[in-house]
């Protein structure tokens, strides 16, 4: 069960935004990620609880930030309920999208698990994916289109055995911006605004497409 800490910072001026303390693990039904985020001061900012099925689809999402709350799942695309800080108003949303996104590194792993791009064809053709992303600090939903391509998959020797690192190129289709994401199993090693600062145990292996899948 990987357990560790990410540091989060602004992608433009690198201002520290806080830390995300996480643990994640594969299970009989897929994969689960749970985390708590803190401000640079140490104050609690929010939490993430994301569960995926064996195909990488979100079967449960619960986000908390600034007293706002999101509960969502894959249903007729993706469906969610957003509750305000008073708890008196809730709005439901539904979009024909593949999965959810947000500032947490969990969503990068989730998208990679959903796409399951194979290293046998790296660099792979760009695969288009539609996401509903929740923006901090009020968890406002926004639909975005991206393309993902697996550029390289390379094994690195470690004390606990070979560690396969996948390098993805992610493109925002609305702006044309491109950036690299490095993932080892179910842990993000580096991505814009994200740095892995501490990891207590090796990442769990990434599921791959097999013949007939």
């Amino acid at each position: 069960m990987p357990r560790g800490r990410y540091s989060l910072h602004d992608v433009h001026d690198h201002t520290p935004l806080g830390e995300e303390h996480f643990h994640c693990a594969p299970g009989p039904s897929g994969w689960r990620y749970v985390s708590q985020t803190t401000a640079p001061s140490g104050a609690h900012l929010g939490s993430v609880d994301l569960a995926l099925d064996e195909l990488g689809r979100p079967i449960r999402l619960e986000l908390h930030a600034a007293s706002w709350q999101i509960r969502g799942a894959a249903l007729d695309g993706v469906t969610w309920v957003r509750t305000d800080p008073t708890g008196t108003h809730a709005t439901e949303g539904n979009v024909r999208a593949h999965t959810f996104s947000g500032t947490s590194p969990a969503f990068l792993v989730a998208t990679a698990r959903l796409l399951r791009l194979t290293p046998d064809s790296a660099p792979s053709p760009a695969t288009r994916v539609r996401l509903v992303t929740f923006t901090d600090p009020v968890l406002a939903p926004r639909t975005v289109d991206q393309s993902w391509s697996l550029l390289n998959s390379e094994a690195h020797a470690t004390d606990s055995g070979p560690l396969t690192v996948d390098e993805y190129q992610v493109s925002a289709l609305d702006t044309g911006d491109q950036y690299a994401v490095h993932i080892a199993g179910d842990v993000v090693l580096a991505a814009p605004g994200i740095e892995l600062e501490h990891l207590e145990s090796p990442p769990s292996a990434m599921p791959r497409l097999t013949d007939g899948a």
Side-chain angles (χ1 to χ4, degrees):
M1 177 186 292
R3 183 184 300 268
R5 172 172 51 87
Y6 294 109
S7 63
L8 309 176
H9 55 267
D10 187 276
V11 297
H12 301 292
D13 62 12
H14 302 287
T15 299
L17 300 178
E19 295 184 335
E20 185 162 330
H21 299 257
F22 73 95
H23 63 271
C24 56
S29 62
W31 181 73
R32 187 181 180 193
Y33 178 100
V34 177
S35 70
Q36 300 285 330
T37 54
T38 57
S41 65
H44 177 73
L45 289 179
S47 63
V48 178
D49 189 341
L50 174 64
L52 309 178
D53 68 10
E54 60 182 1
L55 297 178
R57 298 171 299 194
I59 56 177
R60 186 184 70 255
L61 170 66
E62 185 169 327
L63 294 179
H64 293 268
S67 298
W68 291 85
Q69 176 180 280
I70 294 286
R71 292 181 183 269
L75 181 64
D76 295 327
V78 294
T79 298
W80 67 93
V81 175
R82 177 173 177 260
T83 307
D84 73 342
T86 67
T88 57
H89 299 287
T91 56
E92 183 174 331
N94 172 263
V95 171
R96 290 287 184 178
H98 299 94
T99 189
F100 295 110
S101 185
T103 57
S104 172
F107 295 112
L108 295 174
V109 176
T111 301
R113 292 178 78 89
L114 178 72
L115 297 178
R116 292 195 293 175
L117 301 176
T118 172
D120 295 337
S121 61
S124 67
T127 300
R128 181 167 178 159
V129 60
R130 174 161 288 183
L131 312 164
V132 173
T133 185
F134 298 103
T135 60
D136 288 338
V138 297
L139 301 181
R142 186 167 63 92
T143 303
V144 299
D145 291 303
Q146 296 178 343
S147 70
W148 281 58
S149 178
L150 179 59
L151 297 183
N152 186 45
S153 186
E154 186 175 355
H156 298 265
T158 69
D159 293 340
S160 56
L163 179 67
T164 300
V165 178
D166 294 331
E167 179 187 358
Y168 296 90
Q169 179 176 281
V170 181
S171 301
L173 297 184
D174 56 346
T175 64
D177 290 343
Q178 295 183 338
Y179 53 89
V181 173
H182 293 83
I183 297 176
D186 53 359
V187 174
V188 176
L189 301 183
I194 298 168
E195 293 291 342
L196 179 65
E197 299 290 351
H198 176 68
L199 186 64
E200 293 183 8
S201 55
S204 303
M206 173 77 74
R208 303 292 191 184
L209 284 174
T210 58
D211 293 340

